[in-house]
Amino acid sequence: WWDYSLPENPLLASSPSGRAVYSLVFGQLFQTDSTWQLQPELVQTFAYSEERLQLTLFLRQDIHFHDSSPVTASDVLATLGEIQQLGSLSPYADALSAYSSGRLIDAQTMVLQLSRPDPAFLHALTFPVLKASEVSLPSGSIWQGTRAFQMDGLAEEGLYLARLELAPAIQERLEKILVKTYPSAIQAMRGLEDDELDLAFLPTEALYQYQMRSSLRLDRFTSRSYYYFTLGDSISDPVDQLRYKYFLRAARWSGSGLVLPGQASDVPVPPFHACFFGQPLDLAPVWPDRLIQNGLASPEASQMTLSTMPDPAALLNLKSGRLRILVPENQDILMELARQAASWLEQAGQPSDIVALS
């Protein structure tokens, strides 16, 4: 299922269901493998300039769209230009914020200009690559992709995807998929119960509504795209936790140019977590009230503004043990972010340990 009444431009699709459907159809410059390592897909080779402000990409010559036309550098630059023009409407725009412009060298070669060095930029090149002539087609169109399934047509019951004969047929291979439209995840799950659907891709917040159901098979995909700050049982006081939260919303995060979205997790780490939704969490209205409730400040302190807050270095001088930063192993970019966070915490007088986990 997905939540579109008609196929939406793949550069606009942000729901888990929509992106899952389009991942069967559209290739990317880079993709993550089964161990979540970044691997070239449409790219043959690439090279950075010394100052890491220019990235030269050489495309493979054996990749074609479903209409047999070759994938060219012009298609990639047109897709990037459309994402820039869409801005916040596209879920890919934030990660590509360092991209400034592109220059065509030949049919298979291009140079991408960056406004600043971005250690995560290759990870941002995982958007669906469209044909240059199709980047701004309206909803309800049929787009050409490069992966195993093609958009095969619209019918009253939904969108059909059909497998291309790219390899010898194998027994019980899935050949055709019908993507049905439901207005909500709840109604899609009712369709699943009534055997109208074989598979429903649930967003995280909807999963909790169904995880106690014994009649459904639920496959949980644990994200490898995050790292966690876990405080341990020794730091259970809410004021101490608030001190961490205040430090982690400091301006240095937003000034770093890094995109750090966040969400709650049901993995067994303590319930406190740092949240980032484009902008750092603002605790200015909360902080003074919590201090007063715990007898740590006078009522007059409730008039404090963020600019008159105590220095984070003083706030984080805690005596209750070391902070642990949990990082998925084999994720170089997250390890780099964790080291930066550990450095900032060390400067603030709070020691921490980085732990890489599988």
Side-chain angles (χ1 to χ4, degrees), residues 20-306:
V21 169
Y22 286 138
S23 70
L24 301 172
V25 179
F26 300 98
Q28 305 165 346
L29 293 173
F30 293 86
Q31 63 177 337
T32 49
D33 62 19
S34 59
T35 62
W36 288 86
Q37 296 297 295
L38 203 62
Q39 302 292 347
E41 181 181 355
L42 302 181
V43 169
Q44 180 72 42
T45 58
F46 64 94
Y48 269 109
S49 62
E50 184 176 354
E51 70 280 8
R52 299 186 72 83
L53 290 176
Q54 289 187 335
L55 174 64
T56 304
L57 298 174
F58 305 89
L59 298 181
R60 292 171 53 179
Q61 300 185 28
D62 58 340
I63 303 294
H64 294 77
F65 289 106
H66 295 147
D67 63 358
S68 300
S69 60
V71 177
T72 68
S74 296
D75 299 311
V76 176
L77 293 180
T79 304
L80 280 166
E82 182 67 13
I83 293 173
Q84 275 188 320
Q85 184 171 336
L86 291 170
S88 60
L89 296 176
S90 173
Y92 304 100
D94 275 350
L96 288 165
S97 61
Y99 173 69
S100 175
S101 61
R103 178 163 50 91
L104 191 67
I105 302 299
D106 57 42
Q108 304 303 127
T109 312
M110 75 204 85
V111 176
L112 306 185
Q113 182 69 45
L114 277 64
S115 59
R116 65 177 187 275
D118 182 357
F121 188 68
L122 293 184
H123 292 259
L125 301 181
T126 52
F127 53 84
V129 173
L130 308 184
K131 287 190 67 173
S133 59
E134 297 181 353
V135 294
S136 56
L137 288 179
S139 296
S141 301
I142 298 295
W143 286 267
Q144 303 296 321
T146 57
R147 286 189 175 170
F149 283 87
Q150 65 177 338
M151 301 175 73
D152 196 40
L154 282 169
E156 184 177 349
E157 59 269 28
L159 170 69
Y160 280 96
L161 306 180
R163 183 186 293 274
L164 293 177
E165 281 299 326
L166 300 177
I170 60 175
Q171 189 175 8
E172 298 182 351
R173 186 175 74 168
L174 191 63
E175 298 292 342
K176 184 166 284 193
I177 299 170
L178 169 61
V179 186
K180 298 189 68 172
T181 300
Y182 290 86
S184 70
I186 291 176
Q187 288 170 279
M189 291 301 288
R190 288 174 182 160
L192 189 68
E193 293 174 342
D194 294 337
D195 287 332
E196 298 171 3
L197 286 175
D198 297 303
L199 175 66
F201 202 116
L202 288 178
T204 302
E205 61 273 13
L207 180 62
Y208 300 118
Q209 303 172 23
Y210 298 98
Q211 59 187 1
M212 300 304 294
R213 293 288 297 274
S214 60
S215 60
L216 295 174
R217 170 181 168 177
L218 291 174
D219 293 321
R220 184 183 300 273
F221 298 90
T222 303
S223 172
R224 297 170 185 259
S225 304
Y226 300 91
Y227 66 88
Y228 302 86
F229 296 90
T230 175
L231 305 180
D233 295 335
S234 61
I235 309 179
S236 57
D237 181 79
V239 173
D240 280 352
Q241 294 181 1
L242 196 58
R243 287 170 177 162
Y244 276 103
K245 232 169 189 178
Y246 174 66
F247 178 75
L248 292 172
R249 66 148 309 281
R252 65 188 70 187
W253 283 104
S254 59
S256 68
L258 298 170
V259 179
L260 296 172
Q263 67 181 43
S265 170
D266 63 341
V267 298
V269 296
F272 164 73
H273 61 280
C275 295
F276 302 91
F277 289 95
Q279 295 297 323
L281 201 63
D282 186 3
L283 294 177
V286 181
W287 176 268
D289 293 337
R290 294 304 299 268
L291 289 179
I292 293 169
Q293 289 171 15
N294 289 273
L296 299 181
S298 64
E300 291 75 17
S302 64
Q303 303 304 314
M304 284 194 302
T305 64
L306 196 59

Side-chain angles (χ1 to χ4, degrees), residues 299-319:
E300 291 75 17
S302 64
Q303 303 304 314
M304 284 194 302
T305 64
L306 196 59
S307 61
T308 61
M309 288 288 194
D311 183 76
L315 300 177
L316 279 177
N317 188 19
L318 306 177
K319 307 298 184 184

